[in-house]
């Protein structure tokens, strides 16, 4: 249970919540925490992903899936979104559903635009037409800022994505702002860095890919030259940050509507430094990373300022980098042993 992290006067019990992308990494942990707190959660599921941590029914996720209301469908289906919000009397919406892989976006931009742009305006239009939700959180990304010379990025940094994934997030971000400015829709936008943590089965990502390589006794592979600066954000901190923002939106009765918030540990860390830290925690400094230097269309340096979230939401991350890596590595060790 996570009661006590938030305002003690607030309760999620019996609140009706809609989560898109509930089987993803962030969606799974957010759904778990909401259900733990007694919320009535409805999850939109496009594809059945048997290995999603949400369906694992073990450890932290014991019986979680049995308490989730599942609706199968696509974000492109506006009528279904309207039905969900209306029939389940949704008060809070977490819109996490998206195509999140940069490589996939480069290979197939149209499917990324459909998911990330059309999906976003459909969920917002459904909320507007039904009129029930009091808090809507749209998941944007630090990639929405594009490539900037001034670091760290704060919420006033222009949105200027240049490549397919970045542009899809810039567009979704601006569309959310449009629905607030034009229709007074109670929307907030979140911009986070690269999520990692227990349950991430996309082994193209640097954290799970490195851990899997080490567990197999192999050298970890770095697709870039290793010098890219990224903002790595632990998934449990991410899920708790989303809940805190929604809570503050509901408590403030509109005072936060239309705002965007960066959530970050505010660490400047390169890909190579992160890989070496994982090797250190796993006690395998002998496995020297294999640097391919083949990454294309990726932003060179990127990390976020979370000053606004700290000031307005009284938010701080709960986990240090080492704590998060230890917890993540332990999960993968158990996962591969189970397989």
């Amino acid at each position: 249970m996570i009661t006590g992290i938030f305002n003690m006067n607030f309760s999620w019990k019996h609140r009706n919540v809609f989560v898109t992308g509930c089987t993803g990494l962030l969606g799974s942990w957010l759904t778990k925490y909401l259900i733990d707190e007694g919320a009535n959660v409805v999850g939109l599921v496009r594809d059945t992903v048997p290995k999603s941590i949400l369906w694992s029914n073990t450890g932290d996720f014991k019986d979680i899936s049995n308490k989730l209301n599942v609706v199968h469908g696509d974000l492109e289906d506006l009528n279904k979104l309207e039905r969900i919000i209306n029939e389940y009397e949704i008060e809070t919406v977490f819109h996490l559903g998206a195509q999140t892989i940069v490589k996939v976006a480069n290979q197939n931009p149209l499917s990324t635009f459909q998911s990330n742009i059309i999906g976003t305006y459909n969920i917002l239009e459904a909320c507007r037409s039904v009129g029930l939700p009091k808090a809507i959180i749209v998941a944007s990304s630090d990639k929405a800022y594009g490539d900037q010379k001034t670091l760290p990025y704060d919420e006033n940094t222009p949105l200027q994505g240049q490549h397919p994934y970045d542009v899809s997030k810039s567009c979704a971000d601006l569309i959310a702002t449009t629905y607030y400015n034009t229709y007074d829709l109670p929307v907030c936008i979140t911009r986070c860095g690269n999520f990692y943590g227990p349950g991430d089965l996309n082994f193209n990502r640097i954290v799970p890919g490195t851990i899997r390589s080490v567990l197999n006794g192999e050298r970890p592979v770095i697709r870039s030259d290793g010098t890219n600066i990224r903002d790595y954000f632990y998934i449990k901190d991410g899920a708790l940050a989303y809940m805190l923002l929604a809570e503050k939106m509901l408590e403030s009765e509109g005072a936060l509507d239309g705002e965007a918030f960066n959530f970050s540990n505010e660490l400047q860390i390169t890909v190579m430094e992160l890989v070496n830290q994982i090797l250190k925690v796993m006690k395998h400094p002998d496995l020297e990373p294999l640097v391919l230097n083949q990454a294309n269309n990726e932003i060179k340096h990127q990390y976020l300022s979370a000053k606004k979230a700290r000031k307005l939401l009284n938010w701080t991350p709960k986990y240090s980098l080492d704590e998060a890596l230890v917890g993540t590595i332990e999960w993968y060790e158990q996962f591969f042993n189970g397989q």
Side-chain angles (χ1 to χ4, degrees), residues 317-335:
K318 183 180 178 184
Y319 299 90
S320 69
L321 177 64
D322 279 351
E323 288 173 332
L325 287 177
V326 167
T328 301
I329 291 164
E330 288 177 350
W331 184 87
Y332 283 105
E333 290 173 339
Q334 294 172 5
F335 173 77

Side-chain angles (χ1 to χ4, degrees), residues 112-293:
T112 300
F113 294 155
Q114 288 174 338
S115 176
N116 297 3
I117 299 174
I118 295 176
T120 297
Y121 70 61
N122 273 351
I123 195 73
L124 294 169
E125 178 61 17
C127 291
R128 184 194 69 84
S129 63
V130 176
L132 286 176
K134 298 178 181 178
I136 305 157
I137 295 180
V138 173
S140 183
S141 168
D142 59 350
K143 307 298 184 293
Y145 292 120
D147 201 350
Q148 305 279 348
K149 293 182 179 180
T150 302
L151 295 173
Y153 301 176
D154 65 25
E155 290 80 358
N156 295 318
T157 301
L159 304 177
Q160 54 183 42
Q162 296 179 336
H163 304 297
Y165 178 73
D166 315 341
V167 167
S168 76
K169 284 301 186 179
S170 297
C171 290
D173 204 309
L174 289 168
I175 290 167
T177 302
T178 294
Y179 268 82
Y180 166 71
N181 288 329
T182 307
Y183 306 110
D184 291 323
L185 206 65
V187 178
C188 274
I189 300 157
T190 56
R191 301 173 189 146
C192 303
N194 295 2
F195 283 119
Y196 70 94
D200 185 2
L201 299 181
N202 182 356
F203 293 100
N204 287 323
R205 292 190 177 121
I206 193 66
V207 173
T210 297
I211 294 171
R212 183 176 67 173
S213 294
V214 175
L215 291 175
N216 289 333
E218 301 168 353
R219 295 169 64 188
V221 175
I222 296 176
R223 291 185 299 108
S224 66
D225 65 2
T227 64
N228 290 357
I229 294 174
R230 285 292 179 268
D231 206 310
Y232 297 99
F233 194 36
Y234 191 42
I235 197 62
K236 294 183 182 181
D237 273 328
L240 296 176
Y242 272 70
M243 287 180 69
L244 177 63
L245 176 55
E247 175 189 316
K248 296 295 186 182
M249 289 180 71
L250 293 167
E251 288 182 327
S252 67
E253 297 181 348
L256 293 175
D257 293 356
E259 296 289 340
F261 291 92
N262 292 340
F263 291 106
S264 167
N265 284 342
E266 301 179 296
L267 297 176
Q268 297 186 55
I269 185 168
T270 67
V271 173
M272 182 64 76
E273 288 170 340
L274 180 65
V275 170
N276 285 332
Q277 188 64 21
I278 293 172
L279 292 171
K280 178 182 177 182
V281 173
M282 297 184 74
K283 297 181 173 56
H284 272 285
D286 53 303
L287 294 175
E288 182 180 352
L290 177 62
V291 180
L292 300 181
N293 196 17

